[in-house]
């Protein structure tokens, strides 16, 4: 079977990265596979690229994936990237493909789901009513309010020390413009970003947050994004408190939702304990792979 690789450029790159797409076309010009190479552009991650390869099941084992990989890795080298990361579900064809082509496994992720119709409402209420003296919750929809933007951006450093095991992830610097841009991307695709934050009443500063992205039609499953508490405020149950409030709001405001999805590094024991306590059940595992260039 003959095919050709055609590179494309995303005309509307997202904030903090740009994306290149490579299509594998058969002799008749029909797509049989694709690869997306995300090149991070923000300070602290300019060394990193992220790869996502797909080949139609009937066209696998014909060398299409290998040629897509060769093209994307060559481009990553041209862009002076140090590392390429890719993710695959445990036991999937992608898992075997990456392992056989020089990628090393650097991180294990546990995916979990909370079925909203079966939430224990009494237990949830108990989580919310447990006293957290000196702290209060606040929340908003969509982009952060202007008066909170700088404070919220600063609080995102709570995720700087999240377990990434052997991943060459680098560092992510957040400012008000970046948090607005991230919310804007979610809104432009028609989804709703819900944020719950916790405020230290002594300093009146945001010291933790959790985010939930709800599908635009309010149906199916919503996806948890970042959750973090600044180091000096940990050990007080604030992460569990915020996530419980996020669950309560999702149930109250989006009755068509079936569940909430989350993924957590297997080594992130505190966050996995929060998920377990709130009733999230593991669904599957995935591996983060890395190729050092």
């Amino acid at each position: 079977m003959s095919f050709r690789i055609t590179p494309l450029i995303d005309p509307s790159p997202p904030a903090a990265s740009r994306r290149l797409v490579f299509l594998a076309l058969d002799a008749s010009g029909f797509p049989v596979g694709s690869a997306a190479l995300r090149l991070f552009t923000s300070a602290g991650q300019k060394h990193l690229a992220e790869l996502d390869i797909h080949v139609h099941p009937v066209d696998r084992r014909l060398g299409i994936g290998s040629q897509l990989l060769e093209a994307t890795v060559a481009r990553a080298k041209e862009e002076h990237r140090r590392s390429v990361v890719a993710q695959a579900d445990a036991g999937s064809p992608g898992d075997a493909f990456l392992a056989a082509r020089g990628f090393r496994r650097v991180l294990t992720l546990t995916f979990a789901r909370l079925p909203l119709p079966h939430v224990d409402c009494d237990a949830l209420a108990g989580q919310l009513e447990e006293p957290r003296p000196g702290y209060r919750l606040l929340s908003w929809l969509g982009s952060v309010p202007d008066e909170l933007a700088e404070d919220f951006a600063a609080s995102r450093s709570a995720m700087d020390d999240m377990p990434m095991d052997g991943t060459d992830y680098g560092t992510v610097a957040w400012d008000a413009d970046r948090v607005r841009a991230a919310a804007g991307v979610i809104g432009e695709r028609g989804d709703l970003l819900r944020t719950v934050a916790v405020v230290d009443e002594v300093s009146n500063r945001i010291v933790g947050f959790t985010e939930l992205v709800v599908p635009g039609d309010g149906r199916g499953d919503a996806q948890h994004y970042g959750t973090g508490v600044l180091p000096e405020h940990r050990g007080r149950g604030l992460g569990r408190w915020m996530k419980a409030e996020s669950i309560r709001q999702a149930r109250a405001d989006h009755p068509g939702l079936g569940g909430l999805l989350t993924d957590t590094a297997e080594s992130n024991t505190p966050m996995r304990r929060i998920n377990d306590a709130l009733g999230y059940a593991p669904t599957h595992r995935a591996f983060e792979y890395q190729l050092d260039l």
Side-chain angles (χ1 to χ4, degrees):
M1 177 181 181
S2 63
F3 57 90
R4 67 182 187 275
I5 305 297
T6 301
L8 305 172
I9 297 176
D10 188 346
S12 302
S17 67
R18 55 191 175 92
R19 189 175 65 163
L20 307 176
V21 176
F22 297 77
L23 289 181
L25 307 173
D26 65 15
S28 63
F30 189 82
V32 292
S34 65
L37 184 69
R38 183 183 181 192
L39 300 166
F40 293 89
T41 56
S42 62
Q45 289 193 304
K46 291 182 178 180
H47 66 283
L48 185 64
E50 185 178 64
L51 176 63
D52 190 17
I53 291 181
H54 295 278
V55 176
H56 193 281
V58 301
D59 295 310
R60 290 174 183 162
R61 299 186 180 279
L62 298 174
I64 298 170
S66 295
Q67 289 204 29
L68 285 167
L69 177 62
E70 182 180 345
T72 51
V73 168
R75 185 54 185 268
K77 289 179 178 178
E78 290 174 7
E79 296 283 343
H80 307 290
R81 302 293 149 152
R82 185 173 71 212
S83 304
V84 176
V85 294
Q87 190 178 117
D89 288 345
S92 69
D95 185 7
F97 175 84
L98 294 170
R101 283 159 179 81
F103 284 76
R104 58 189 178 91
R105 192 180 293 175
V106 291
L107 182 69
T108 300
L109 296 167
T110 297
F111 288 74
R113 180 177 186 269
L114 177 71
L116 280 179
H118 305 300
V119 166
D120 185 335
C121 295
D122 291 338
L124 187 66
Q127 299 276 4
L128 290 169
E129 292 167 3
E130 185 177 330
R132 271 86 176 183
Y135 297 95
R136 60 183 171 85
L137 295 175
L138 61 83
S139 60
W140 60 84
L141 302 179
S143 186
V144 59
D146 288 345
E147 66 272 17
L148 299 174
E150 295 290 345
D151 198 22
F152 177 54
S155 77
R156 296 194 68 97
S157 67
M159 296 189 67
D160 286 354
D161 61 351
M162 65 179 178
M164 294 299 294
D165 295 359
T167 310
D168 188 13
Y169 187 69
T171 58
V172 179
W174 290 89
D175 58 22
D177 289 340
R178 182 163 184 171
V179 297
R180 291 190 186 102
V185 169
I186 293 169
E188 287 169 7
R189 70 180 187 229
D191 294 336
L192 175 65
L193 174 63
R194 308 189 63 108
T195 305
V196 175
V198 63
V199 175
D200 172 22
E201 293 185 321
V202 174
S203 64
N204 202 34
R205 302 293 300 271
I206 295 174
V207 297
F209 68 94
T210 188
E211 298 168 312
L212 181 71
V213 175
V214 179
D217 62 1
R219 299 185 178 277
D221 289 342
Q223 176 72 54
H224 286 287
Y225 275 30
T227 298
V229 176
L230 291 173
E232 60 269 30
H233 297 275
R234 293 173 186 167
R236 298 172 172 87
L238 301 181
R240 182 161 39 92
W241 193 29
M242 290 187 297
K243 215 159 186 179
E245 174 62 12
S246 184
I247 295 167
R248 186 199 67 77
Q249 291 182 7
R251 278 179 51 86
D253 297 345
H254 306 286
L257 282 179
L260 307 183
L261 305 176
T262 189
D263 59 273
T264 309
E266 198 167 84
S267 58
N268 191 347
T269 303
M271 186 56 65
R272 290 179 60 203
R273 285 175 177 165
I274 288 173
N275 294 336
D276 291 345
L278 293 171
Y280 289 77
T283 57
H284 66 284
R285 293 195 308 164
F287 301 122
E288 190 87 4
Y289 280 92
Q290 181 171 300
L291 181 67
D292 300 318
L293 304 182

